[in-house]
Amino acid sequence: MTRETDIVVDEAPVLFEERVAANGMRIGVATLNAPRTLNGFSLPMAHLLLERLQAWADDGQIAMVVLQGAGEKAFCAGGDLHSLYQSMLAYRAAGHADVRANAYAAEFFDVEYRVDFLIHTYPKPILCWGHGIVMGGGIGLMSGASHRVVSERSKLAFPEITVGLFPDVGGSWLLQRVPGKAGLFLALTGALLGPGDAIHADLADLHIAEAQRADVFDALLQADWGSDHEANHGRLDTLLQSFASDAPAGPLQAHAGLLDTLCAGDDLPAIIERIGALQTDDAWLQNAQKTLAAGAPGSARLAFELQRRAAGADLATVYRLEYVTALHCAAHGDFAEGIRALLVDKDRTPHWNPATLADASAAWAEDFFISPWPADQHPLADLGATAAERTVA
């Protein structure tokens, strides 16, 4: 095991280790290390991960990578919203009109999306252990891993409608791959998914009991890793399957037909009206209704329009689209107000603008998709579609 000094390791936003397997090959282990903030994904974390993942990809002695979170509560509960909030306040106080002028937000989303895209297209196996809370930016990290594990305590969601954003980090691409119309329902309601539903939604691959994590990691060190990436993928498949167990189906599966009916068609106001008018005693559906009713109308519109615009696009194109939209949200959308109400003042009374879905029309949303760069000068222009991207089954 490779370590720096204890002080550096304890304070580092991400802990990196290289564990030596029985045959001499190494396993890279990256641990998000901010348990007090539920491993909220910060800009320093993003820079560190990008650099080390690229180095491990090029290191012939690294057979595979493990990505996990410190503490018992969360793999990663989302992005570092407090720092983004301060950058938005400064941007607006300065009277900027150019969305590129918020340098912090521009850098944050740039590096975050690069990390996520690298994971999606990584040549070596990546095992992501998605324990506890996995939301927003946490799903962005986990979704591209070749082997995505959830345990009995895993709770996944895209809750961005509660803070005036939209399901980014590739969410416009990921949620289209949820069976039926349920992806749109998840975007509009931030509904929680347990392990069985996360696997059904193609946001995870395997369910393994949390108590077995140490045994899984010990088994990784005994595996006969080699230099052939494809063979290593197969070895990891076999190893994890030996620990996996079935996870019970959750409400996403139980209500699949209902969700398809609720979210049918291309009329967003009608979809939202059907969800709100639903008469049900089901707690999961009731919570979804409440979240949608209290959420930002503009976020609902942006999530809906982004899924339409992302249809058929490759992952790199979707990241570029989401990047532009995220910067507009930071510049003149409800993002700052949502963070204020939820995390800063904690009054939970956001003043959304637009205040109604009628005002958050498709025409209103158009400004959020206007890029300030020509296509070849987009900051993420160098992201390219590769064969490693997941394809629709």
Side-chain angles (χ1 to χ4, degrees), residues 120 135 141-142 154 159 193 227 246 272 285-286 329 366:
H120 272 277
M135 295 185 182
L141 290 170
M142 182 177 174
S154 296
L193 302 179
S227 57
D246 291 335
I272 290 180
L285 290 171
Q286 288 177 342
C329 287
E366 284 295 326

Side-chain angles (χ1 to χ4, degrees), residues 113-133:
Y113 291 5
R114 287 182 183 279
V115 171
D116 295 343
F117 187 78
L118 177 61
I119 292 172
H120 272 277
T121 58
Y122 209 65
K124 300 177 180 182
I126 296 183
L127 163 59
C128 181
W129 194 277
H131 82 288
I133 299 170

Side-chain angles (χ1 to χ4, degrees), residues 27-28 63-67 124-129 145-149 205-206 208 216-217 219-221 223-226 228-244:
I27 297 171
M64 62 159 293
V65 171
V66 174
L67 182 59
K124 300 177 180 182
I126 296 183
L127 163 59
C128 181
W129 194 277
S146 60
H147 296 75
R148 305 165 297 177
V149 169
D205 301 307
L206 295 162
I208 300 177
V216 170
F217 286 12
L220 293 177
L221 297 177
D224 187 24
W225 303 109
D228 185 299
H229 302 333
E230 185 175 350
N232 285 340
H233 276 276
R235 291 184 182 97
L236 185 55
D237 284 338
T238 301
L239 187 155
L240 293 176
Q241 287 290 351
S242 71
F243 289 93

Side-chain angles (χ1 to χ4, degrees), residues 71-74 129-134 150-156 193-195 207-211 213:
E72 298 181 356
K73 295 182 179 179
W129 194 277
H131 82 288
I133 299 170
V134 188
V150 284
S151 67
E152 67 277 6
R153 298 200 300 268
S154 296
K155 293 182 174 62
L156 281 71
L193 302 179
H207 172 255
I208 300 177
E210 186 63 32
R213 193 199 307 203

Side-chain angles (χ1 to χ4, degrees), residues 110-295:
D110 181 302
V111 184
E112 180 184 30
Y113 291 5
R114 287 182 183 279
V115 171
D116 295 343
F117 187 78
L118 177 61
I119 292 172
H120 272 277
T121 58
Y122 209 65
K124 300 177 180 182
I126 296 183
L127 163 59
C128 181
W129 194 277
H131 82 288
I133 299 170
V134 188
M135 295 185 182
I139 293 182
L141 290 170
M142 182 177 174
S143 62
S146 60
H147 296 75
R148 305 165 297 177
V149 169
V150 284
S151 67
E152 67 277 6
R153 298 200 300 268
S154 296
K155 293 182 174 62
L156 281 71
F158 278 107
E160 286 81 1
I161 194 167
T162 63
V163 292
L165 191 59
F166 59 90
D168 68 323
V169 294
S172 308
W173 187 84
L174 293 164
L175 289 173
Q176 291 185 68
R177 282 144 180 81
V178 180
K181 299 290 186 179
L184 178 59
F185 184 84
L186 297 177
L188 295 176
T189 66
L192 282 173
L193 302 179
D197 278 344
I199 293 171
H200 173 74
D202 195 24
L203 296 174
D205 301 307
L206 295 162
H207 172 255
I208 300 177
E210 186 63 32
Q212 293 186 286
R213 193 199 307 203
D215 293 335
V216 170
F217 286 12
D218 287 342
L220 293 177
L221 297 177
Q222 301 306 315
D224 187 24
W225 303 109
S227 57
D228 185 299
H229 302 333
E230 185 175 350
N232 285 340
H233 276 276
R235 291 184 182 97
L236 185 55
D237 284 338
T238 301
L239 187 155
L240 293 176
Q241 287 290 351
S242 71
F243 289 93
S245 59
D246 291 335
L252 186 74
Q253 295 167 76
H255 300 304
L258 173 61
L259 301 186
D260 286 350
T261 300
L262 293 174
C263 295
D266 294 325
D267 185 342
L268 179 61
I271 291 169
I272 290 180
E273 183 178 356
R274 286 195 293 268
I275 295 173
L278 181 67
Q279 299 296 312
T280 179
D281 294 327
D282 183 277
W284 186 79
L285 290 171
Q286 288 177 342
N287 287 332
Q289 287 177 310
K290 292 174 184 176
T291 301
L292 174 56

